[in-house]
Every structure is written in structure tokens, then in C-alpha cells.
Amino acid sequence: MRGPGRLRRNRAGSLTSALALAAGLLGGASVTAPPAAALTPPVGFTADALSTYQTNGIVWALAEAGGVVYAGGTFSGIRPAGSPAGSNTTAAANFAAFDAATGAPTGCSLSFTRSSGTATVRALAVSPDRSTLYAGGYFNAVNGTAVNGLTAIDTATCRLRTGFAPQFGATVRALDVAADGTVYAGGDFRTVNGTPRDFFGAVTASGALTGWNPGADQPGRALKVTPDGDSVLIGGGFFTVGGAASHALAVTSASTGAVTRAYGASFIPPSAVIKDIVTDAASDGWYAAGEGAGGASFDGRLAMELDGFDQRWRDTCQGATQALRVHRGVLYAGSHVHDCSSMGGFPNQVRKHLTAQSVDDPGLLGWLPDTNDGIGEPVGPRALTVSSRGGRDFLWVGGEFTTVNGAGQQALTRFANTPDTGAPTVPVVSASAPRAGEVRVSWRSGLDLDDSLLTYRVYRDGGSTPVYTTTGSSLFFSRPQLTFTDRNVVAGRTYSYRITASDGTNTSGLSPAAPVTAASSASPYQEEVLADGADLYWRYDEASGAFAADASESGNGGVYVNAPSYRATPSAVAGSAALSLNGTDEYVHSDRLHHYTSPSPYSVETWFRTTSANGGRIIGYGNNIGTARGHTSSISDKLVYLTNDGRLAFGVQSGSTRPTITSAGSYNDGDWHHAVATQGPSGMVLYVDGEAVGTNAATGNRSYNGFWRVGGDAMNNAWPNRPTSDYFAGQVDETAVYPSALTAAQVAEHHELAGTPPGPGDSTVTVAPDEDAYVNGVAANTNYNDSQLASRGTTAYIGYLRFTLPPAPAGQVLRSARLTFRTSSDSTAGSAENHSIVPVTGTWTESAVTYNTRPTLSTSVLGTISGATSVSTGYSAELNASALGGALGSATSLALTGSGTDSLRIWSSEATAAYRPQLVLTFGDE
């Protein structure tokens, strides 16, 4: 422990842990990602990789002195950045030196070889006075001079120091140099200069053996001399040191090697080893990198005290940490971290290879450049070092990777405190009109690889001045929903919103326009759901994109996965749309982690509609968000699913049991059904269509960090009447989660209100085409009456749609109109160009129209399709309501035309129902 009067620093910019806290705590306040500033302390490097020479093999070790970075490893050549493997290669036998500021070779060239076997350099260390570079590994010659496992190099001349020739019996894997010149080594060797030294030993600056003899029982992998020179911290896979039990980590006397602080198997699991150790006098700390096997092992980082050698904090993320470096209060790590669920962070997902943490806090900071796993084992980065030159600081990374930030780059890369050049991602926006005089604009936070705190600007109706500006923090695994409520709106008028994200230096492009028509009244169903306390409420009214807006005040947005079909009709609740799921891989998951503690009460609610005979998971809570094997949930709870025969089941995990309620009736009849599952002090209740269909006395469930998922997730065979399909095929609508057990009266009220339209004022009608077809200027006599429509200027495509428009309700006029559609699966379906929607004045039929018989078109334009760039994605285009209003009560035809060469292809009325084009007409008071 720290001595009296020695208080831990509270650095400006240190962060509350983003991983140790779970967002969305049931029954309590939501916890969002921590605030972090853009490229301000504690993060000191951008995520922009600089041009750097490469090697053709693995870099195992890095060191720096005087603005020169030395790389050692297993390679035979180096080549410039951008050169593919095998080209422009200069010979370099396992060692190279580079200018830290330019990334180019310095001319210091040494060849590390062996007379037999594969030579390699595994460790590099520089003397405190920066005059000598020590290189260790598996080699017996350098530039033809006989050496054995360890050599010394003059940094000024790049020549071997004469007289330094210690003999190591096997590979040297770790090195450090004390102020008095003593060189400490760890590795696979059992002798030094012919004298027994089990896996750790030390020599003087002249190469003579010292008395330092820890005597470990397994190889050494890491070591570091403490700043005061009194102790040597050692790491590896050992279980005893000098006969004393100490697994993977030990503090030894710098003079004798005797253990002064041991760490048993309860501190580092037996299946783990320590791969790197660094010290940092400024934080009075030392930091260790773990590599383990299995989920119960240790793969993360340890922060330890230099005064007393106790633990400060422990990062238990999974992902085999290989290398560490501290710079200005930040611990940078090379690993392949993929699972931080044990810390309340992201679940087992895609590997990330470079991370940063405050020395005071294990929470990941907003710095996430990335490599791939690469060649070899593979694990990605293997070594880190920091060098300063020309007024800049540079973080060098070496390893076995072959890409950096998605671009080809092998084994070496570097980052600096240079100006940031990477812009944040474009926010994904959803706009809704929840009640009179109010438009709600919600968006998923953007992502920037080196800036977690971003500034968002909201623009309305194409204006150049933002109507709202705010800031928000986000990390790749925590992208909270942000919301702006615009109360400067007029009922019946259509507004459009676009948003940018900025890190203060770089700004994203504008988001696609999100149009919405201001309402004159609220949905009674929505108001009741919110009044009853929903803290997650997905209405599924988005027309496209990956963001599902939360209509509650909790900001629990969701993520659409694998592009489900948006705005499916008919919906379950008046005035809202539904979501169609394919039963194979489409689903929605919460974007923030939640924590549920048994026996806290809760309710889940959703509407569903299906004819499937394969059942499926409709809504549930799980510990993962992915679809790939190993990335689906291994734990599931609070689960509502449909059996193969259409019965509804609600189950939880309680100890080793799965208390489950299963309805007697079946609900796969193609009609909408309302499902509510509650659990509280009185046990479990399952409601269908406003009435209880079963109860269970169980009050307990499983406590863990997880995510809500709608539409599917893994289900094991322990669930009663497990369905054939893990995924639900059908439509869902109005999904809500509550931190309370809804009463029977509340459930019945929700069911009753579903068919109640908004009050006097707006009403919405959706109209499908009576006929549609397109023509092709290349095949001028061919009729195209199939599952697609097309639009292009050259060579011409023109699409036609005929709608029978209803008359306006009594006392109302057409307030707004939009054409909704979905781009087809054709690889060229999306278009970066604008396409016009114009009235058709001539006659045509879908079975006979050709390019040569095409009808005449009006010169007026009702609307414009823009930004429909993606394939298999839903879009909408606003139409001129006043112009279209004259056609109410009659049949009218619209044409899709373009003036450019980039075609647009959309599904026609012959396609699957959920993909068909539609007119959405909103009527309001005159």
C-alpha cells in the first residue's frame, strides 16, 4: 500500500471507467459512456497511421534512443510503405533501425544470424544513458562476429561493443538495463556463461555474470527494473521463484534475485502468463500484460503500485495482451481484445488490437486504431515504444500484422501527436412527430477512432445555420442515442433534418435528410406506454438505416442488423409502422449495455404477427449482440418466444431451472397479437391480447450484463418446447421494456388503445400501386412488367406507378405525401444521382407499355429521390401535397425519371409485400 501522505493523483482528463459501469441499470439511472475530450489529455496520439517502412516478417521487439527506433524480430528484409510483399525489398536480417519522425531506415544495418536453425531477435533494451542498445534472442553471430543470445551495440556508431560476449544457453526474451549498467535478462535459457541460471540471469556492462539469480521453474517472458533500482519485476509462466510459490509475476531483489513480493495462483490464474511489464514513475505505478487460455484466465492488464507492489486496478478483458507502454498518463496496449463483458463492457465480438487506458482507470479511452491478427500465431501487435523527434512524440507499433486501419502495412506502424485528420462517421438520424407542436429528432452517436467527445449540429430544411448544437461521448461499443426536440413547428407541415458530427478539427458529411410531418395530436397508445414508465420504446418508424430510435426519455436506441424490412403495413398500432423480419438473421439489439439484478421487477411488451410454423425468439435478454457462431448469446433470460405450433412462451433462468409459462392457444394465424411478460414480487405473468394466459410463482431470474434483442438469438435445448428456428419470421411493432411489473389493468388498457387513432387532426392512409412497370430505351419494344422498377437518363429507363387515391376525409385536406420504396438487391440498384417523380399525363397499362409506346409526362415535378445509394434499403421521398391534392378521389399515375447515367432500381408491387412501393398520405384539418 502507499505510505502515509502519498495520495493518488487525480489527473485532469482521467476518466470514469466506461467498462466498469453498465448503462441502463434496471430500476436506477442510466449510465452513459464517460466524457472524453478530442485529442486532449489523457490521449496523446491520433489514430492516423503514418507512412512507415515495413518488414517481411514478425517484429518481436522495439526500442528507441535519440530519435532512432530499433526493431528486432524474425524477418529478412524491409520495404517502403505501400510496397506489396516481395517488392522493393532491402535485405535486413532480423534487425533494422528507423528515423522515428520519418519512418525511413537510418542506415544502421546489422545482420543477426545462426549457423543452424532460425535466428530471431526477441528483446531490445537501451542503457539509461542511451549509449548502448542491447539485443537478445536466438542467434550466434552479428555481422559475422560470434555472439550467443545477447549482444551490445553502440548507438552512436551502430557497431558491436567489443569485449561484451556473455553466453546464454537458449533464447533471451526479455531485457532491461539498470542505472549501474547491469543487464537483466529473462527467457528460455538454463545457463549464463556456463553457470546455472534458470530462466533469469544478469550480467555486468562487461558481460560478467552477477549474483542475481531468481531461479524460476518456467521460462521468463518479461522483466523491468524499478525506477529506484532496488527491485526487478519479473513475469512469465513460472509457478515458483527461488523455491517460493509465485505464479507468473514476482518482485525480486535487484542484487540477489530473492523474492520480496510473491503472487500466488489466486492472483494470476494458473492458465495465464505475463508477457510484458512497464514502469511509470510519474504515476508511481507498474503495469503488466496478461495472456491466458479460456474465459476464466487473465488476458488483460494489471495496474500495480510501486510503493508496496499492491494492485491498483485490473482489466479483465479477454484478448491476450502482448505489449504495453505508458506515455503522459495513458497506458497503451497491443492485444487482440475481443470480450470485455466481465467488466461490464462489450461482449465477445470482432478483435481490436490497439487500445488506451488512463493509468488511474481501466476504462477504455477513445483511441482505437487497429491492425489485423496477421501471420504467425496470430495475435497482431507484439511490441510498443515511444520516441520523440523534431518536437513530436511518436508511438511505434511492431508485430505480426499485415494491415493497419484496413490498409496493407506489415509488422510496423506508428502514430503521433500530429494534427488529427480523421473525420467522425456520419450520424444516423430518425425523426418523428410524437405529439402536437413537437418534432423529435434522434440519432445514433457518431464514431471517431481518436475522439470520443464529438459535437453535433442539427440543420433544418436545408439551412446552413444549425438549429441545435450539442456534445456527446461515444466509443465503438457505446454509441448513445442523442435527441433534439424541435418545438418551433406547425402541425401538418413537413420538415427535414440533417446532422453533422465534429471532433473540433474534422467534420463528417451531412446525414441523409430525415423528413417528418408535424402532427396535430399524439398517439393515445404511445402516450400510455410512456406514462406507464417505459425506459426502452422502439416504434420501428424508420424508413431505412441501422438506427432504431427510442421514443422514451432514456435514450436506449437500437441497432437494426442485416437490413430488415422497414415500415411494414398494416401496423399493430394506429399511426405507426411495423418492422418485418425474415426469420433467418434479421433482428434489433439495444445499443447500450444494461444490467439486471434479480429480483428487480420488469415487463417486456411487443406486438407480433406471423404465420410461421417454425416458431422463433420474439424478444429476450442476452449477453451478446452478434450473429456469427461464438458471437450469439451464451446466456439468455427474460425470453418471449413462439413454439412451432404457434403457442407463446415466457421463460427465465433461475439457478439451474427455467421457469416458463406457455399459452394454451396458438397465435401464428397472421393476425396482430399483443404480448406482455411481467415478473415481480408476485411471480411471472404472461398476457396475450390484453388477458392473462398463464402465471408462474417464480420471482427470480439471472443477474448479468446484457442487451435486449428483438427478432432472434441463440436458444439452447433446455428451453421448454424449443422452436425449430432461433429467429422470428413475421412482423413486430411497438416494443417496450419497463422497470416495473405492469398491472393487468395497464396491460388491458394498452391493448385497447392500439386501435385508437390520434385525436382530431391528422390521419394517415397508405396506398399500394394498382399497376406498375418500366420501359427501357435500349429494348424499345419490350414490356418490363416484373418485380423491379427502374429510372435513368442515359440510356433511358422510366418507371411508372398507378395509384387510386382516396378522397380526403370530411373537413380535412392532404397535408403531406411521400413515396416509400426499397432499392432492389441488384448490385447497381442504388444511385448517387437525383431522380424525379413527375405526373403522367398520357395513358398506359403495365402489361403493354414499352419505350416506343410510353405515355407523355408532365413538366412539373412532384418530388425528388436523393441519397438512395444503398442496395436492399428502404427510402422515402416527400411529394408536393398541394399538387397531388387535386387528384384525390381518382386514379393518378407517377413516373420515375432521371437525367444522368446512374440507374436506380426499386422493388415493384410484384415483389414481397414488405418491399412494395407505397404512397403515404397524411390528412389534417382544413
Side-chain angles (χ1 to χ4, degrees), residues 51 58 182 267 318 336 420 452 490 588 760 886 908:
S51 178
I58 299 172
T182 302
F267 189 76
Q318 295 293 306
H336 57 255
D420 183 17
S452 55
V490 177
V588 193
S908 74

Side-chain angles (χ1 to χ4, degrees), residues 68 382 628:
V68 175
R382 292 284 191 174

Side-chain angles (χ1 to χ4, degrees), residues 66-316:
V68 175
V69 171
Y70 303 94
T74 311
F75 52 85
S76 61
I78 58 174
R79 65 185 189 275
S83 295
S87 64
N88 300 321
T89 300
T90 301
N94 305 308
F95 176 86
F98 304 94
D99 186 306
T102 67
T106 64
C108 174
S109 178
L110 298 170
S111 179
F112 286 71
T113 58
R114 281 193 64 81
S115 53
S116 63
T118 301
T120 184
V121 174
R122 290 300 181 103
L124 295 170
V126 175
S127 62
D129 65 3
R130 324 307 281 169
S131 68
T132 306
L133 170 70
Y134 294 91
Y138 185 61
F139 48 84
N140 57 20
V142 177
N143 282 6
T145 299
V147 294
N148 196 2
L150 180 64
T151 192
I153 303 157
D154 187 305
T155 56
T157 63
C158 191
R159 294 177 181 174
L160 297 189
R161 286 200 180 276
T162 58
F164 184 85
Q167 301 293 303
F168 282 78
T171 305
V172 173
R173 297 181 181 272
L175 290 172
D176 198 20
V177 188
D180 65 1
T182 302
V183 182
Y184 295 89
D188 301 344
F189 53 85
R190 306 297 294 270
T191 63
V192 179
N193 292 350
T195 301
R197 286 291 187 269
D198 287 337
F199 308 116
F200 289 96
V203 296
T204 66
S206 63
L209 185 65
T210 76
W212 187 71
N213 184 16
D217 65 335
Q218 294 290 331
R221 295 290 181 264
L223 59 80
K224 194 69 177 176
V225 180
T226 57
D228 61 11
D230 293 341
S231 302
V232 180
L233 313 167
I234 64 172
F238 48 80
F239 290 88
T240 64
V241 180
S246 192
H247 174 54
L249 203 61
V251 182
T252 69
S253 164
S255 57
T256 66
V259 174
T260 57
R261 177 66 184 269
Y263 301 92
S266 61
F267 189 76
I268 302 290
S271 58
V273 300
I274 295 298
K275 299 298 290 288
D276 196 13
I277 297 172
V278 296
T279 59
D280 178 46
S283 62
D284 292 326
W286 57 287
Y287 306 87
E291 176 184 88
S297 192
F298 175 62
D299 259 1
R301 274 79 65 187
L302 282 174
M304 309 288 288
E305 301 286 357
L306 281 169
D307 183 5
F309 305 110
D310 289 331
Q311 178 178 298
R312 179 184 298 167
W313 53 255
R314 178 181 295 234
D315 168 351
T316 57

Side-chain angles (χ1 to χ4, degrees), residues 533-609:
D535 63 2
L536 182 156
Y537 183 19
W538 298 336
R539 304 204 71 195
Y540 307 120
D541 287 340
E542 287 75 28
S544 61
F547 171 59
D550 178 16
S552 83
E553 295 301 318
S554 298
N556 283 312
V559 178
Y560 293 116
V561 178
N562 292 324
S565 299
Y566 306 95
R567 292 192 172 176
T569 55
S571 61
V573 173
S576 180
L579 185 72
S580 188
L581 300 165
N582 64 4
T584 303
D585 62 358
E586 294 174 350
Y587 63 99
V588 193
H589 69 79
S590 55
D591 209 8
R592 287 196 316 195
L593 191 76
H594 294 72
H595 181 77
Y596 284 73
T597 302
S598 176
S600 299
Y602 64 91
S603 301
V604 294
E605 175 179 40
T606 197
W607 289 78
F608 70 94
R609 176 173 177 257

Side-chain angles (χ1 to χ4, degrees), residues 27 104 173 205 220 258 290 326 418 473 518 543 621 634 673 762 844 858 902:
R173 297 181 181 272
V326 175
T418 49
S473 293
Y621 188 66
S634 59
H673 294 285
D762 289 354
W844 64 282
S858 171
D902 189 7

Side-chain angles (χ1 to χ4, degrees), residues 22 223 560 570 659 716 828 877 916:
L223 59 80
Y560 293 116
N716 65 36
T828 62
R916 296 171 186 170

